[in-house]
Amino acid sequence: MLKQDFKILIAEDDDVVREVVSEILSKEGYSAFTARDGLDAIRMLMIEDMHLVLTDLKMPNADGIEVLRQAVKNNPDCAVIILTAYGSLDSALDALKEGAFDYLTKPFKIQEVLFAVEKAYKRRQYINERNELKQYLRDTYRDLEIIRKVAGGSEPLMTISWIERIDKLANLNILSPHEAAILKERLVLGDAQRKSLDSG
């Protein structure tokens, strides 16, 4: 995922803080959206899929905990960072119990925000890779069953397809180079044996 595809919602009733954070994140290459209070943020979360929410804890109409709950309800993979001038251990623990990704106390340094956002961005990349891998493994097992039922795995194009799959699993560090080499050798030998039996 590119930074420009990483969507961040900044929910903050302080106009200056909201615009400054939005401008800085936009300059960093992220897609930044803003909400002027908690209710505005909840409305936006209902119509737009966000990857990260930066929300003030104390806001009119709906507080940061309500925004956090809505964000996680809409998308369990959404990271939420609580920004507050009312920092306390209790409020931090409450936010974390509700599923907050991080917690920053005002006045915060911009570098602190950028560091937290970068962590959330890397987390999202990891989640996307994990989901892609899960889908790839599901497709692989499904195709294996189809090959067994339809062709018995004896078609040359299918052997090539499986070699490509083994290479991809090795590239994703699911298989070691040694394991990949063994599997490919077995695949090629098995294909050669089947051809020998078919010709005999």
Side-chain angles (χ1 to χ4, degrees):
M1 169 183 278
L2 299 173
K3 278 189 174 183
Q4 65 195 33
D5 300 320
F6 188 68
K7 293 186 282 187
I8 304 171
L9 175 62
I10 300 134
E12 170 62 70
D13 59 329
D14 184 315
D15 294 343
V16 174
V17 173
R18 184 176 66 247
E19 293 309 316
V20 166
V21 172
S22 173
E23 185 178 345
I24 288 168
L25 293 178
S26 295
K27 284 181 179 176
E28 287 292 315
Y30 299 106
S31 292
F33 300 77
T34 59
R36 64 184 177 274
D37 60 32
L39 194 58
D40 191 26
I42 289 170
R43 284 194 195 109
M44 289 191 71
L45 287 167
M46 289 180 169
I47 60 173
E48 191 73 44
D49 185 25
M50 296 291 172
H51 301 113
L52 172 63
V53 177
L54 296 171
T55 180
D56 191 12
L57 185 60
K58 300 290 183 182
M59 291 183 292
N61 301 320
D63 67 14
I65 297 294
E66 290 175 87
V67 173
L68 165 64
R69 288 175 182 153
Q70 186 64 47
V72 174
K73 179 182 174 184
N74 286 2
N75 179 6
D77 290 333
C78 180
V80 179
I81 298 172
I82 302 289
L83 307 174
T84 181
Y86 302 87
S88 71
L89 181 59
D90 288 341
S91 60
L93 290 175
D94 287 343
L96 293 173
K97 283 176 187 175
E98 292 285 343
F101 175 71
D102 208 344
Y103 181 91
L104 298 176
T105 304
K106 296 177 184 176
F108 50 78
K109 294 178 182 177
I110 289 300
Q111 283 304 114
E112 289 178 298
V113 176
L114 290 176
F115 180 70
V117 169
E118 181 70 18
K119 280 197 307 182
Y121 173 59
K122 287 180 180 176
R123 171 184 175 268
R124 185 65 194 205
Q125 288 178 310
Y126 169 75
I127 288 170
N128 287 352
E129 287 171 6
R130 181 199 65 191
N131 291 341
E132 181 184 338
L133 176 59
K134 281 183 177 178
Q135 185 60 50
Y136 183 75
L137 290 173
R138 278 195 293 266
D139 292 345
T140 297
Y141 286 124
R142 183 201 64 212
D143 292 349
L144 177 59
E145 289 304 312
I146 292 171
I147 289 169
R148 283 178 179 162
K149 289 176 183 176
V150 176
S154 61
E155 292 294 325
L157 287 176
M158 291 182 183
T159 299
I160 292 168
S161 173
W162 276 101
I163 288 173
E164 290 172 352
R165 287 173 187 269
I166 290 167
D167 285 337
K168 183 164 184 180
L169 290 171
N171 291 336
L172 291 168
N173 295 319
I174 303 303
L175 296 173
S176 71
H178 179 66
E179 290 168 331
I182 290 172
L183 286 173
K184 284 194 279 188
E185 184 180 351
R186 287 179 182 168
L187 188 64
V188 172
L189 285 174
D191 195 40
Q193 287 171 355
R194 281 190 296 271
K195 285 178 181 175
S196 177
L197 288 171
D198 291 342
S199 63

